[in-house]
Structure formats: structure tokens, C-alpha cells
Amino acid sequence: MIRLIETPEQCCSCGACSSACPQQAITMTPDSHGTVLPRIDPEKCIDCGLCVRTCHFKGPKLQAPVATYAAQRVSKEKISLSASGGMFAVMAEHIINSGGTVFGCAMPKDNSGNFSPEIVECDSMDRLNDLLGSKYLFSDTDSSYRRVRTLLNQGKTVFYSGLPCQIGGLLGYLRHPYPNLITIDIICHGAPVAPIFNSYIRHLESSKKITVHDFRFRVKNKGWGLYYYYYYYTDSHGNRLNKCAEYIHSIYYRLFLSGAIYRPCCFRCPYAGPQRISDITVGDCWGIEKEHPDCGSIMDFKDGVSSVIVNSPRGAELLQSCRDALKIYPVDYSSIRKYNAQLKAPVRKPADYQLYMDAFARQGYKGIIRCYFRPSRWPHLFKESVGRFVKRKILHIQ
């Protein structure tokens, strides 16, 4: 029987093999750490090898960027809904208004009360807001690959947004190019799985006696570039309220930024480099005020600025079609890469990564908390607390 992978590091959980299997012999099954991996049913498998040919993760075909820009949405009202400069929203609106279909990540709650990040179809402006903003979670492609192929074969224009590995999965599944498909990925530094996030949410709800209805990462309430999170909730008296806090107040958010709760494949990601898989790559244009201060004459940096890496003629054509809704400034690729380490190499695995994963497998998010406050980390935590106290005092004096 075919063996797709030997270790979890060899699989990005995109589900392309499962979607492609003609016998439905492959199911994507979570392991004890919540990472979804392919499992082959030997009774159904006919050894056709299509799953192996579909898998892209071990040797993707990448392309070098052809142009790079700093960009920002013109509409100040609409840009606030996005984590940076609002590029995806502008392009998605153009596709929908032109009669096409958009796919992107939404994060609804399922019937069991868990947040369920998934790639969903959107062909109307009413649903587009659900796809905006940073999710910071790996999403389920579910049946999106099959649906995309159906739409493409019908002649529909499809705009598919996802992590680089999910785009690679789609292209591997389709197996040949479609002129009516446009893909966009993000500069991804790694993604945790939903079970860890949902365990965190349940801990938040039980400790504060609330019910969380919506959670947003990287909101710009305090300005662009600051890691604030925001959630809506109902308290024990039935009042609907909201909370905005800095990342430092969330152990989950801190561990996310450190890479300690990513999927195993993220540390060996073949897409974390200068060459890209999609027609367009977007991310935050960190350092724009230092590298290109003259760009400030046409953009307001505090509203958020996107980096736009064009990787194909198709991507260039889409960007050109959206220029009236954008402020665009050509920049050097090196200036974007300088502030985005994942355009150089995958994130480095933290030394205590396995400790956190095993703690979660044993005790869920409570295990992660105990691991975070383990005695061997006390000196580090003390120095961190003192540093934050001094910083706040200095800012107060200024």
C-alpha cells in the first residue's frame, strides 16, 4: 500500500490527496496534537498513485517575483476592516463585480461552539467581510478544491486566497493550468491548528464566565503594526460586550508569535523563500517608513500598508485592473524581504516546541499554561516583567 508520509513534518494538511483520491480512500485525521494528516484505508486503496502525483509539498514549482509594490486602499473607511493595506479586499471586490467567484478563509462557529476556520466560496459583497482580517490559524480546504475545479470548467473566473501551502495543494489537485484561475497567498510565518485555539477560547470562556462570539487578530484600533486582539462576547448577565487587549496579555498570542504552537511542517516549509507559488503575494509592508519615507506623501502609514509581490503576468493584470482603488508605490523587493524573514527561510523551531505540543496533548490549553510557567522559565519571566514595567514607566514620562 502507498505511504504518503513518514512523519508529520512531511505533510502540510492541505487535503489535496484526499480530494483527488478516486476511491475516497484517504481521510484527513487529526493526531494527538491536532495536526490533520492523511490516513489511507487499505481496503479502498487501489494503488493508483494519484495521491502521490497530486502532493506538491515535497517539490513545488515556484516562480520568481516580477514586480514589487507598497500599496494601500484609497477608502479609509474600508481599509480599517483589513489587517494591513486592504489589498485582498480590493481585488476580491473587483472579481465579484466582474462576475467571478472568490475563495478565502472565514472563521464561523460550528454547532459544538468551536471556531472552524475554513476556505469558503463567496460570490457576493454581503459575505466578503467574513474573509477579511488575519485569522492566524490553519483553515480547512474541505471541498473547496473540487468546487474550484467545477467553476473553472464552467468558465468562471476564480480568485483563490490561502496560505502558500494551500495554494500549492490546489494547483497540485488541478494538475494543469487554468487561464481563469488567479491565486493569491500571504507571507506566512506559520499557522497553529484550530484545536489549540479552541482550547484557548474555552479556557477564556470558563475563567471569565463569558461566551466568545467572534475573535479577531491584529485589529488596528490602536494603530497599524501593534499586535492587539479583539473579541465580542456575552457575559453571565446576557450583556453583549467586547474586549481589546495587547498580545502580551495572551499566552496563546505570545506563543503564536514565537512559533511554539505551529504545525510541524511550518519549520520545513518549501514556500518560505524568495520564490513564490501564487500569482500575487501580499503581506504587511513593514519598515516602509524607513526604507521609503517619501512614500508617506501619498499614503498614511498609520492606516496600514501592504507589500504586493507580483509573480506572474496574470497577477500583474489583476493589479492593473484595481489601480483606481489603490495608492501604489514601486519598491525594491529587498526592502520587503528585509522585514519579512519568511521571504528568506522557514521559521526556526523553538527548543521547547515539543514540550508545548505534548503538554497540549495531555491537558489541552491548561497544559500549555503550566508549561509556559514551568520553574525553568521563571528567570526569563521575571526579566520580561521587569522590562515591560520599565518600558511603561518611560512611555508615561515621555
Side-chain angles (χ1 to χ4, degrees):
M1 186 182 71
I2 291 173
R3 287 184 67 87
L4 274 171
I5 61 170
E6 298 294 334
T7 65
E9 290 82 3
Q10 296 174 338
C11 178
C12 68
S13 308
C14 71
C17 57
S18 175
S19 296
C21 180
Q23 299 298 112
Q24 297 183 329
I26 303 175
T27 55
M28 302 302 292
T29 307
D31 65 9
S32 61
H33 301 144
T35 301
V36 178
L37 301 170
R39 177 177 294 176
I40 301 177
D41 183 345
E43 298 297 321
K44 295 181 179 180
C45 179
I46 58 174
D47 289 322
C48 67
L50 184 58
C51 56
V52 176
R53 295 193 297 274
T54 298
C55 182
H56 62 95
F57 192 67
K58 297 170 186 175
K61 295 179 181 179
L62 307 175
Q63 51 200 353
V66 297
T68 50
Y69 303 91
Q72 186 179 71
R73 182 166 197 160
V74 171
S75 171
K76 279 185 169 290
E77 179 184 356
K78 292 184 178 181
I79 197 176
S80 63
L81 299 173
S82 301
S84 52
M87 291 305 303
F88 168 72
V90 169
M91 295 178 180
E93 287 174 11
H94 171 76
I95 295 294
I96 291 173
N97 289 331
S98 301
T101 300
V102 174
F103 286 80
C105 181
M107 199 168 73
K109 267 196 163 185
D110 61 23
N111 294 333
S112 61
N114 289 321
F115 285 100
S116 180
E118 57 182 325
I119 302 293
V120 299
E121 178 180 352
C122 175
D123 57 7
S124 69
M125 302 298 287
D126 296 338
R127 294 192 61 196
L128 188 56
N129 282 355
D130 293 339
L131 311 188
L132 305 184
S134 297
K135 304 302 190 298
Y136 285 169
L137 288 170
F138 186 75
S139 54
D140 186 0
T141 59
D142 194 28
S143 58
S144 69
Y145 290 168
R146 296 191 188 97
R147 178 60 179 162
V148 166
R149 184 170 63 183
T150 297
L151 292 171
L152 292 174
N153 287 334
Q154 291 173 353
K156 271 263 193 180
T157 297
V158 173
F159 184 50
Y160 196 98
S161 168
L163 304 180
C165 57
Q166 292 172 323
I167 302 298
L170 173 64
L171 299 179
Y173 169 76
L174 295 174
R175 299 185 62 198
H176 65 82
Y178 283 83
N180 48 332
L181 172 66
I182 308 170
T183 57
I184 180 170
D185 67 354
I186 62 171
I187 303 173
C188 175
H189 33 65
V193 292
I196 296 180
F197 176 73
N198 281 310
S199 186
Y200 159 61
I201 293 297
R202 287 194 294 272
H203 173 80
L204 190 66
E205 290 178 327
S206 62
S207 62
K208 295 182 179 293
K209 294 181 173 55
I210 61 175
T211 300
V212 177
H213 302 289
D214 187 22
F215 193 102
R216 302 181 186 182
F217 294 95
R218 283 281 312 282
V219 293
K220 293 188 287 189
N221 302 42
K222 308 290 184 180
W224 176 56
L226 302 175
Y227 287 89
Y228 278 80
Y229 60 96
Y230 189 88
Y231 58 89
Y232 296 95
Y233 66 94
T234 301
D235 66 14
S236 58
H237 301 291
N239 300 311
R240 293 185 66 88
L241 304 166
N242 58 72
K243 171 76 173 180
C244 182
E246 192 179 5
Y247 80 94
I248 203 70
H249 299 294
S250 168
I251 293 174
Y252 176 88
Y253 212 150
R254 291 194 221 178
L255 293 176
F256 167 80
L257 293 174
S258 73
I261 52 175
Y262 292 166
R263 297 168 300 140
C265 65
C266 295
F267 308 111
R268 296 177 56 178
C269 179
Y271 304 103
Q275 295 190 313
R276 310 303 301 172
I277 188 70
S278 296
D279 296 302
I280 295 178
T281 298
V282 295
D284 288 273
C285 201
W286 304 125
I288 182 68
E289 70 284 354
K290 298 177 183 178
E291 300 297 317
H292 299 280
D294 47 339
C295 183
S297 62
I298 62 171
M299 299 181 193
D300 193 337
F301 293 152
K302 72 176 185 298
D303 289 336
V305 181
S306 294
S307 59
V308 183
I309 304 173
V310 179
N311 307 308
S312 73
R314 196 176 303 164
E317 183 180 348
L318 175 59
L319 183 63
Q320 180 62 34
S321 300
C322 299
R323 289 190 76 99
D324 289 346
L326 297 169
K327 304 171 186 177
I328 296 181
Y329 190 92
V331 298
D332 296 331
Y333 177 76
S334 59
S335 68
I336 295 177
R337 193 179 180 194
K338 181 178 179 180
Y339 295 89
N340 285 280
Q342 289 70 38
L343 292 176
K344 303 174 186 177
V347 63
R348 184 175 297 178
K349 182 188 290 188
D352 53 2
Y353 173 76
Q354 200 59 45
L355 292 176
Y356 283 109
M357 291 295 100
D358 292 343
F360 172 74
R362 291 192 305 268
Q363 298 177 299
Y365 188 69
K366 288 184 179 179
I368 287 178
I369 294 175
R370 292 189 177 99
C371 188
Y372 187 83
F373 289 109
R374 64 189 185 274
S376 61
R377 296 196 74 245
W378 289 355
H380 171 77
L381 293 171
F382 177 75
K383 289 174 62 177
E384 187 181 69
S385 297
V386 171
R388 289 202 305 272
F389 176 78
V390 172
K391 182 179 179 180
R392 283 198 298 268
K393 286 294 184 183
I394 291 174
L395 291 174
H396 179 70
I397 292 172
Q398 291 176 339

